[in-house]
Amino acid sequence: MSLRLSMPELGLKKRRHSFDEVALGYSAEQAIAEAKRCLQCASIKSRNIKAECVRGCPTETDIPRFVKYVSEGDFDSAIEVIKERNALPAICGRVCPYENQCEKLCILSKKGEALAIGGLERFVADHERKKNIKVSKKAETSGKIVAVIGSGPAGLTTAADLAKLGHDVTIYEALHEVGGVLMYGIPEFRLPKEIVQAEVEYVKRLGVSIQTNVVIGRSIGVEGLLEKFDAVFIGTGAGLPRFLNIPGENLNGVYSSNEFLIRTNLMKAYKFPEYDTPIKIGKKVAVIGAGNVAIDSARVALRLGGEDVCIIYRRSEKEMPARAEEIKRAKEEGIQFKLLTNPVRIIGDEGGWVKQIECVRMKLGDSDKSGRRMPIPIEDSEFTLDVDTVIIAIGQSPNPLISKVTNGLKTTRGGAIKIDENGRTSLEGVFAGGDITPGTATVIEAMSAGKRAARAIHEYISR
Ligand code: FAD
Ligand code: SF4
């Protein structure tokens, strides 16, 4: 069985000091060769049997069909197949955890290496962008109007699917840029912003209008939108940083990952002084957490001049939630991993700046509700590390503004908006999806929730 073609990458030396994209993508010849490895497993519609890879894809993209077109060199037809189900393929092809989804179930992985489905999706989407192929057609108008709050992957997908059905959609976005975390969270070297904006342009070409700098819940709320629109979708994400609640978190030199990444990505601090956003980063940087946000923060800190950058995580490598590919790249770039280690105190100097972090060593006990083994502190194992910057990246909570000001909108104890399996909230005509709802934490899950909600909204406004 032939081996999977590895994707070319930017050289290690250049990568450690540059925000240029690390993964470089396949050439046409490489994409064709990789696509030819596919076994073209059959889907039988009448018996509801799907190829394994399709079962693993939250948007149910017809993977064997698009891959077949790639193997024949017909990239234009391949992108049409993908766009039947996925409005943001250049983004998904870069950041989706496909190793846990379509590629995990791919039949080829049983005896060797899975087909590089993500890499092929990325190749086809990039081909479309470079050739400027316009595959979107405006549908005949239905006369119904829908408001979408938030322009992250959930909002963009809901809007695109509704526009394809002929509905008139307006997205309201609080920030000056469109794309949510894709723009302000995930760094340029993993997801170039030019690519996000090209996919946003596709959504606009479908007829969606987008208003930026509008915070729903301030000048106008959900109730106000319902007076004008036939339905409302809330896709406001989880942008509220969580903290450790340990002494010293308010010292100078301690950032939340949110602030750190927004300053770097959205306000372009990495291009200072060309952009007027300074960011102070020391030589010794500790990042707390081990998800994608933590790994991204550590790799950004390295590129901004950090010399000694480490991840501090209370469990072992096996439990790290970040994508395996990005952990590997972080290690190659020189990020150190201090595992089974938990911070208990941040220590400052006389000027109120961070100088040390005190940690305790941990061991793993029994599994918790999530199936991961619980970290337990080892008695008398405290030690200190010299640091001059600390970045807290232990997760985010749902944005609270809309649920606070909307009467009757039910939320969980953690502040996520409660929905049924079709994205309906407790309020008539109001739907929600993505990170603002329980159990969603990835781009593709947010998109999949957007697709479900779009179907339910269509049904609701077509009654
Ligand atoms: P968001 O992307 O958060 O978008 C919500 C939008 O709503 C924002 O633009 C916000 O400004 C806007 N908004 C909020 N409140 C209002 C309001 N009141 N009025 C108007 N607009 C409002 N996932 C992956 O699959 N792979 C990865 O590699 C990955 N890496 C990540 C790295 C980082 C640093 C971060 C932070 C997240 C990462 N994720 C990753 C998670 C993924 O980005 C999110 O799950 C996804 O973006 C959620 O989409 P969303 O549309 O629900 O919300
Ligand atoms: Fe091709 Fe793998 Fe899907 Fe089979 S499971 S069709 S080999 S990608």
Side-chain angles (χ1 to χ4, degrees):
M1 195 172 285
S2 61
L3 284 178
R4 172 183 168 122
L5 269 178
S6 52
M7 189 178 286
E9 288 184 355
L10 197 67
L12 197 51
K13 221 170 156 191
K14 182 156 183 220
R15 189 164 123 186
R16 297 182 83 231
H17 306 287
S18 143
F19 278 77
D20 289 352
E21 193 173 12
V22 170
L24 298 177
Y26 289 132
S27 65
E29 295 70 33
Q30 288 169 325
I32 292 171
E34 179 62 17
K36 283 187 174 158
R37 293 178 60 231
C38 177
L39 302 174
Q40 286 296 309
C41 311
S43 294
I44 308 169
K45 233 183 184 167
S46 58
R47 287 167 53 202
N48 202 21
I49 296 175
K50 293 175 190 139
E52 288 295 304
C53 53
V54 179
R55 283 204 309 115
C57 172
T59 60
E60 293 194 1
T61 297
D62 191 343
I63 294 166
R65 193 153 63 96
F66 104 72
V67 171
K68 184 156 199 314
Y69 281 127
V70 178
S71 71
E72 292 163 354
D74 183 355
F75 309 136
D76 298 3
S77 301
I79 190 65
E80 278 191 38
V81 174
I82 294 176
K83 287 219 158 156
E84 285 168 8
R85 312 282 314 174
N86 184 338
L88 313 172
I91 294 167
C92 289
R94 285 171 166 81
V95 302
C96 257
Y98 20 85
E99 64 279 8
N100 295 327
Q101 300 174 160
C102 52
E103 293 184 7
K104 188 174 180 185
L105 297 189
C106 170
I107 291 291
L108 287 171
S109 68
K110 310 274 184 268
K111 286 197 181 147
E113 287 182 292
L115 188 76
I117 301 168
L120 292 177
E121 181 180 36
R122 168 191 162 132
F123 167 78
V124 173
D126 287 356
H127 165 83
E128 180 204 13
R129 197 179 62 259
K130 284 179 198 148
K131 288 266 170 92
N132 208 11
I133 304 168
K134 305 263 190 283
V135 291
S136 54
K137 305 177 206 95
K138 276 195 187 174
E140 209 171 296
T141 175
S142 68
K144 302 288 180 185
I145 56 172
V146 181
V148 168
I149 313 171
S151 68
L156 288 171
T157 304
T158 310
D161 279 16
L162 287 169
K164 281 186 193 164
L165 292 164
H167 307 306
D168 194 343
V169 186
T170 304
I171 298 182
Y172 295 99
E173 168 54 51
L175 296 173
H176 63 283
E177 297 267 23
V178 179
V181 169
L182 308 174
M183 282 305 283
Y184 74 72
I186 306 181
E188 181 79 16
F189 55 82
R190 273 213 300 134
L191 180 61
K193 304 309 149 210
E194 175 205 346
I195 281 158
V196 179
Q197 290 313 308
E199 306 232 299
V200 168
E201 281 309 310
Y202 165 76
V203 176
K204 284 190 193 161
R205 279 207 305 276
L206 291 169
V208 173
S209 64
I210 305 182
Q211 293 194 23
T212 52
N213 296 313
V214 184
V215 184
I216 300 297
R218 292 255 160 84
S219 49
I220 184 166
V222 170
E223 287 99 337
L225 290 176
L226 277 173
E227 286 170 16
K228 282 169 58 186
F229 292 88
D230 296 299
V232 173
F233 174 81
I234 308 172
T236 45
L240 195 67
R242 283 191 207 141
F243 288 94
L244 293 157
N245 296 321
I246 58 172
E249 265 182 306
N250 55 353
L251 286 166
N252 294 322
V254 180
Y255 292 95
S256 72
S257 56
N258 253 47
E259 182 193 350
F260 182 69
L261 291 173
I262 287 182
R263 287 180 85 82
T264 314
N265 298 327
L266 196 67
M267 295 158 78
K268 304 265 185 280
Y270 69 96
K271 288 189 175 169
F272 181 81
E274 188 191 330
Y275 282 76
D276 193 16
T277 313
I279 193 159
K280 187 170 172 2
I281 185 101
K283 298 288 172 215
K284 291 176 191 276
V285 183
V287 179
I288 322 296
N292 285 318
V293 185
I295 303 290
D296 281 347
S297 301
R299 294 173 76 196
V300 165
L302 183 88
R303 283 160 173 79
L304 289 175
E307 285 172 4
D308 190 355
V309 182
C310 71
I311 289 275
I312 296 182
Y313 180 49
R314 60 194 182 139
R315 292 180 159 104
S316 73
E317 179 155 356
K318 202 167 147 233
E319 288 82 23
M320 286 175 66
R323 294 193 53 209
E325 188 175 74
E326 302 305 339
I327 296 173
K328 176 179 153 275
R329 288 183 178 140
K331 281 185 184 167
E332 287 166 0
E333 289 167 10
I335 308 290
Q336 296 161 46
F337 287 78
K338 300 198 185 298
L339 304 174
L340 291 168
T341 302
N342 202 30
V344 288
R345 180 164 72 111
I346 305 171
I347 302 161
D349 63 15
E350 324 64 67
W353 287 89
V354 173
K355 70 168 189 186
Q356 281 183 321
I357 186 162
E358 185 179 322
C359 301
V360 62
R361 297 200 197 283
M362 310 291 279
K363 62 182 178 190
L364 292 180
D366 295 337
S367 301
D368 64 10
K369 271 195 284 179
S370 71
R372 289 186 308 172
R373 292 178 64 195
M374 291 274 284
I376 303 167
I378 300 174
E379 230 175 284
D380 297 329
S381 65
E382 286 80 3
F383 64 99
T384 53
L385 290 169
D386 290 342
V387 286
D388 28 35
T389 305
V390 174
I391 301 167
I392 317 277
I394 54 164
Q396 275 102 239
S397 304
N399 284 325
L401 175 64
I402 289 187
S403 37
K404 261 194 198 155
V405 300
T406 312
N407 288 329
L409 188 63
K410 289 197 177 147
T411 57
T412 63
R413 271 176 60 196
I417 297 177
K418 282 188 179 172
I419 52 168
D420 70 7
E421 66 283 3
N422 293 312
R424 291 190 195 88
T425 68
S426 52
L427 290 179
E428 167 92 18
V430 181
F431 300 74
D435 282 8
I436 188 70
T437 59
T440 307
T442 63
V443 171
I444 198 75
E445 283 167 356
M447 290 175 63
S448 172
K451 292 189 90 60
R452 276 196 303 277
R455 276 198 295 271
I457 293 172
H458 175 61
E459 220 170 80
Y460 175 75
I461 59 185
S462 311
R463 290 164 306 163

